[in-house]
Amino acid sequence: MKGGLGLFLGRVGGVAGALVVGQVVLGLTFVVGARSMSPTTLGLIATCAAIGQVAATVVDFGLINYLVRETASGRITSDRARALTAAKRPWALAVLLVVGIGSSLLLAPSPGVGLILALVGAGVWEAQNANGLLRARELFAKASTGQIVGRVGGLVAVLVLALAGAGDYALATAIPLSFLLEAVLDRVFLGRAVERHRGTAGEMVTAHRESVGYGMATLAVSAQQLDTPLVTAGGGAYEGGLYAAAGRLIGPLNFLANSVGLVAGPWLARAGTDPAALRGEERRVLRVSLALCVAPLLLAVVGPPVIPLLLGEEYRSSGTVFAVLAVGAVIVTLNQPFAVILQNRGRPQTVAVGIAVGLGVGLVATFVLSTLGGAVWAAVGYVISQFVIFVLLGLGARRARRDGVMAAAPATTRDAPETS
């Protein structure tokens, strides 16, 4: 492939840089919010937000990541990908608003806070789809800009409302606002579509059948958001708040894994069907992922003494939770290349099964352990989940490479890539 390692690292670095800045800003948003409320209130707000984020992931079920790969390989045009997401929008947003309103009014500290948090799912779905459409057109810089601006907007909102004395509303407003701002800016960057009509229901169903593996892979990234409601249910809202505080601060560690996954998918798709070339690019992705594991290992040591200084003594246990989750972040970083290799080689079902099994085991462990030892023990469930996924995907990728399974051949014509 043209550009080789330098181009791949440049793209990973660009995406990773945007993700880490966005996650750091999001972490600061939670720090400001946490300092203006008790762990119990934070636990309830974080639980509502987590339900919205997970609901958006479930409703999307890997469609956008599948469309990114198909566009990169030339099998569909970027306008067709956009038409399919447009066809899905009406019912996707309707489902997310119903889920958001129901869960937030039931769990939020107050009805007003609940109504605002009900927008989280819709905001996340719009943001991740618009971001994916930009990535499909290789507009990585614009996708990164939208994400960063959105997170900064959320931070400004939480600072203004916290200073005004609206502590509970500050964080509840900042979370959905950050995603909605990202979605709006990304849509501006996308501009008008050449193909104006929406995709048909039949086309959308067909695409979803192909995106099952991507959907399960995306759920793995959302496992930490699934953890928060389970810790709240098993250990109570106070333990849920301690866990949520550490979970949000762990975000900058997972950016490494996410950046590899976002870049490696279209990168490997462009490698084509030449066995030697594809194996070489896969080894490159694996080596980069292994090197990126150093960061979460170092921060696992630094986190415990620093987190109480950021959040206050009431959140001291969050430091230990952070260290355990950082170990899980190491495994997440190693899982990404295996998932992308399997998906690119036409085995998304292997990814789906491996992640479903690991996710199920980990979530059960999280709930059970939270009832026994609170937030700290619950974090071990996340590590268990990622380790099971690592074993299953690693074995699957080894079999696929050994059997010589190849990705489907790209189409002979496709959109010219756009530079950002």
Side-chain angles (χ1 to χ4, degrees):
M1 291 179 66
K2 294 181 180 180
L5 181 61
L7 178 59
F8 180 72
L9 288 176
R11 288 186 174 179
V12 171
V15 174
L19 288 174
V20 70
V21 171
Q23 289 296 329
V24 167
V25 174
L26 185 60
L28 290 174
T29 301
F30 265 77
V31 167
V32 175
R35 295 189 72 91
S36 63
M37 67 184 68
S38 68
T40 299
T41 303
L42 177 63
L44 294 173
I45 291 176
T47 297
C48 293
I51 292 173
Q53 289 178 281
V54 172
T57 302
V58 172
V59 168
D60 177 71
F61 210 66
L63 179 63
I64 189 61
N65 285 333
Y66 166 75
L67 293 176
V68 168
R69 192 199 72 170
E70 293 298 287
T71 303
S73 65
R75 287 185 280 271
I76 65 172
T77 66
S78 59
D79 276 345
R80 180 91 303 241
R82 191 167 179 176
L84 288 171
T85 60
K88 185 174 181 177
R89 177 173 290 108
W91 70 262
L93 294 183
V95 170
L96 290 170
L97 287 174
V98 169
V99 172
I101 292 172
S103 60
S104 294
L105 290 180
L106 180 64
L107 299 172
S110 68
V113 170
L115 288 175
I116 297 173
L117 288 169
L119 299 174
V120 171
V124 171
W125 188 87
E126 286 288 358
Q128 68 186 13
N129 275 272
N131 185 279
L133 292 170
L134 286 172
R135 287 188 287 110
R137 294 168 58 182
E138 297 189 358
L139 299 175
F140 290 101
K142 290 182 177 179
S144 301
T145 300
Q147 187 176 75
I148 293 173
V149 171
R151 301 302 177 269
V152 170
L155 178 59
V156 171
V158 77
L159 284 169
V160 171
L161 291 173
L163 290 174
D168 292 359
Y169 282 90
L171 186 59
T173 302
I175 296 172
L177 180 63
S178 66
F179 292 110
L180 291 170
L181 283 176
E182 177 188 353
V184 170
L185 188 55
D186 284 350
R187 291 289 170 183
V188 172
F189 288 149
L190 282 169
R192 291 182 176 273
V194 176
E195 186 175 333
R196 300 298 298 167
H197 65 277
R198 293 177 177 175
T200 65
E203 289 175 320
M204 191 172 60
V205 170
T206 299
H208 263 299
R209 281 201 297 265
E210 298 295 327
S211 72
V212 171
Y214 289 88
M216 296 306 300
T218 307
L219 280 176
V221 178
S222 299
Q224 193 165 320
Q225 282 73 45
L226 289 167
D227 289 350
T228 302
L230 288 173
V231 176
T232 301
Y238 181 83
E239 295 295 333
L242 296 176
Y243 188 91
R248 288 301 176 181
L249 293 176
I250 208 75
L253 300 184
N254 286 331
F255 79 90
L256 292 170
N258 295 342
S259 62
V260 172
L262 292 174
V263 175
W267 181 270
L268 292 183
R270 290 182 184 279
T273 56
D274 179 69
L278 183 58
R279 281 181 172 271
E281 296 306 324
E282 289 172 345
R283 286 193 294 269
R284 178 173 293 160
V285 172
L286 287 166
R287 288 196 299 269
V288 170
S289 298
L290 186 62
L292 293 177
C293 290
V294 176
L297 285 174
L298 291 176
L299 290 176
V301 177
V302 176
V306 171
I307 286 178
L309 298 178
L310 293 174
L311 302 178
E313 283 299 315
E314 199 172 8
Y315 290 90
R316 175 164 292 278
S317 295
S318 294
T320 306
V321 176
F322 179 90
V324 178
L325 292 176
V327 175
V330 174
I331 308 175
V332 172
T333 306
L334 297 174
N335 286 343
Q336 286 293 319
F338 291 143
V340 174
I341 288 171
L342 284 165
Q343 289 166 343
N344 187 64
R345 284 182 175 266
R347 289 191 172 178
Q349 294 82 4
T350 302
V351 178
V353 171
I355 292 176
V357 172
L359 191 60
V361 171
L363 292 177
V364 170
T366 295
F367 177 74
V368 172
L369 292 173
S370 69
T371 64
L372 299 175
V376 175
W377 283 32
V380 178
Y382 182 69
V383 178
I384 293 173
S385 174
Q386 298 307 317
F387 180 75
V388 173
I389 293 171
F390 172 79
V391 172
L392 296 177
L393 296 191
L395 291 174
R398 182 180 179 183
R399 284 194 297 270
R401 286 164 59 88
R402 182 191 62 203
D403 297 343
V405 177
M406 299 298 296
T412 55
T413 60
R414 61 176 211 74
D415 292 346
E418 300 182 32
T419 57
S420 51

